Amino acid sequence: MLRRIFALAVVVILIAACSPEEAELTTTTTTTSPVESTATTLDETTTTTGNGDNTQGSPAIEDYEVVVRSSSTAGETLWILIDPGDYSDIDLENLIRELVAETDVTIFGVHVFDDRDALDAGRVEADARTDDEQALVDEHFLVSLIDGAIIRFEGPYAEFGETVVGS
């Protein structure tokens, strides 16, 4: 009798393990940015763009221009212009982390734009901007570094929120 119960239990386990419903289950993580949407299965560990590896520590944004650099007792503030492109939040975060890690001076602030007119408008005090200037800033201000420690996603990337440089 014990053998029959054991055999029945084994059959039930095998049937459950081979159930077509469970055999087709996959887990998909969807990352959505304002520019692109990609699906990544558990077998994949990174998402790549045309620029190369997109993992933390190797930025896809290699070319940028420091348009304005201002100094204060807290450190340098950089106003940076990058080419328009399909950047991920990781690309933008890695750019900020690279600037902080590889610059010889203390970086207190960074403001990254992908349009020169928007960068110029971003340098105008918010309450003094025209509606057109504010629209440019809203569309082309991508990411900033606040107080030397907080990466804040801006404009079209605002949904990604904030992260701390040390994390």
Side-chain angles (χ1 to χ4, degrees):
M1 179 72 166
L2 188 56
R3 283 186 177 164
R4 285 185 182 175
I5 293 173
F6 179 75
L8 182 60
V10 169
V11 170
V12 169
I13 291 171
L14 288 174
I15 291 172
C18 295
S19 163
E21 293 169 4
E22 288 189 24
E24 293 180 20
L25 285 180
T26 58
T27 303
T28 301
T29 304
T30 303
T31 304
T32 306
S33 74
V35 184
E36 65 181 332
S37 176
T38 57
T40 306
T41 62
L42 291 178
D43 295 335
E44 298 176 55
T45 57
T46 61
T47 303
T48 58
T49 63
N51 308 36
D53 191 3
N54 198 15
T55 59
Q56 192 166 345
S58 56
I61 304 170
E62 296 176 1
D63 295 325
Y64 58 87
E65 176 186 357
V66 176
V67 176
V68 176
R69 176 186 299 256
S70 60
S71 297
S72 70
T73 56
E76 299 278 321
T77 298
L78 308 175
W79 293 80
I80 293 181
L81 181 64
I82 62 175
D83 291 330
D86 295 334
Y87 303 111
S88 72
D89 58 319
I90 301 295
D91 295 333
L92 296 169
E93 183 178 333
N94 284 344
L95 174 63
I96 299 289
R97 290 180 187 280
E98 176 188 356
L99 288 166
V100 169
E102 295 184 7
T103 305
D104 293 336
V105 296
T106 301
I107 301 296
F108 182 73
V110 177
H111 308 283
V112 179
F113 292 80
D114 68 352
D115 178 87
R116 177 59 194 250
D117 291 336
L119 185 145
D120 293 339
R123 297 195 63 230
V124 174
E125 290 295 323
D127 57 350
R129 289 182 198 141
T130 66
D131 290 341
D132 290 341
E133 288 173 327
Q134 187 59 51
L136 278 172
V137 170
D138 291 343
E139 184 177 347
H140 298 284
F141 186 15
L142 308 179
V143 67
S144 58
L145 176 68
I146 309 298
D147 296 332
I150 299 168
I151 298 172
R152 178 180 299 150
F153 294 95
E154 308 282 357
Y157 293 89
E159 70 186 68
F160 295 108
E162 296 179 345
T163 187
V164 177
V165 171
S167 63

